[in-house]
Amino acid sequence: MTGYRSDVPENWFVDPVNLGVPGVRRAEVDEDSALAWQTDALCSQTDPEAFFPEKGGSTRDAKRICSSCDVRGECLEYALGNDERFGIWGGLSERERRKLKRQAG
Ligand code: SF4
């Protein structure tokens, strides 16, 4: 029997985690993975777009969500460690993370 979906390309779905959207739950994340903390990410229950605002767009909503997130520390550490350039991570914008790095370095 031929599968009725055989014409759907296998790559039609792009996993947002692979694109670097923070906090999007991935079922097969293993506990030791550098991204394991993302399973507790509060932003996985919200609109990821708030975390990647257009240039000059508001970061307020994303930051408010980060402020109640359990894995904020892990998230920020990951972003700093991996030089994440875009988006809100751990409650900080790109510019704020750059500033933090300068202060730390
Ligand atoms: S700190 Fe913010 S960006 Fe990071 S996982 Fe939590 S809600 Fe998402």
Side-chain angles (χ1 to χ4, degrees), residues 70-82:
D70 284 345
V71 291
R72 187 174 168 180
E74 287 91 332
C75 176
L76 182 59
E77 210 172 296
Y78 177 85
L80 294 173
N82 289 277

Side-chain angles (χ1 to χ4, degrees), residues 26-37:
R26 189 163 53 166
E28 73 271 23
V29 156
D30 87 65
E31 287 294 307
D32 300 325
S33 148
L35 291 170
W37 54 268

Side-chain angles (χ1 to χ4, degrees), residues 22-23 37-38 40-44 46 51 62-63 65-76 88-92:
W37 54 268
Q38 290 195 341
D40 295 318
L42 203 54
C43 54
S44 66
T46 68
F51 290 81
K63 286 179 175 177
I65 294 165
C66 293
S67 68
S68 356
C69 176
D70 284 345
V71 291
R72 187 174 168 180
E74 287 91 332
C75 176
L76 182 59
I88 309 294
W89 292 74
L92 298 185

Side-chain angles (χ1 to χ4, degrees), residues 6-72:
S6 59
D7 55 338
V8 176
E10 272 181 31
N11 62 351
W12 71 275
F13 176 74
V14 180
D15 188 333
V17 168
N18 293 336
L19 295 177
V21 176
V24 176
R25 190 177 291 259
R26 189 163 53 166
E28 73 271 23
V29 156
D30 87 65
E31 287 294 307
D32 300 325
S33 148
L35 291 170
W37 54 268
Q38 290 195 341
T39 56
D40 295 318
L42 203 54
C43 54
S44 66
Q45 295 153 40
T46 68
D47 177 7
E49 284 182 22
F51 290 81
F52 293 87
E54 296 285 320
K55 206 170 164 47
S58 170
T59 57
R60 202 183 46 194
D61 288 350
K63 286 179 175 177
R64 203 180 45 224
I65 294 165
C66 293
S67 68
S68 356
C69 176
D70 284 345
V71 291
R72 187 174 168 180

